Amino acid sequence: MQTCSRKTIIEYGHCYFKKQPKTEDEIEKAINTIAVSCISGLRYGGTDEKILKRLYEIGEGGQCDYKPNQ
């Protein structure tokens, strides 16, 4: 078992968040973890507009299941 960060686990070829981020700091760290993933193993399946916009702004729109509103 490998860890990408304190809250992310790589196990059996899958990368996932062990604990869903809740605070602003945890969310920012999760966004940064998505951005540095070399295998694009983490996705955002939520619809929070702020998170979607942030991910699209940093070029990680391909890791989102939804697009932010215009």
Side-chain angles (χ1 to χ4, degrees), residues 26-43:
E26 289 174 340
I27 291 169
E28 187 61 28
K29 287 178 182 175
I31 289 170
N32 290 334
T33 301
I34 290 170
V36 300
S37 174
C38 62
I39 59 169
S40 299
L42 297 166
R43 295 190 57 77

Side-chain angles (χ1 to χ4, degrees), residues 2-28:
Q2 253 182 321
T3 60
C4 298
S5 69
R6 287 186 296 164
K7 302 287 185 213
T8 317
I9 304 295
I10 298 177
E11 187 173 42
Y12 308 114
H14 300 283
C15 195
Y16 61 93
F17 287 99
K18 182 177 180 181
K19 174 185 176 280
Q20 291 298 308
K22 292 182 182 177
T23 68
E24 290 294 321
D25 185 55
E26 289 174 340
I27 291 169
E28 187 61 28

Side-chain angles (χ1 to χ4, degrees), residues 53-68:
K53 285 181 179 178
R54 178 80 172 103
L55 287 166
Y56 269 80
E57 285 171 0
I58 64 170
E60 295 298 331
Q63 296 308 107
C64 301
D65 291 346
Y66 300 95
K67 291 182 179 180

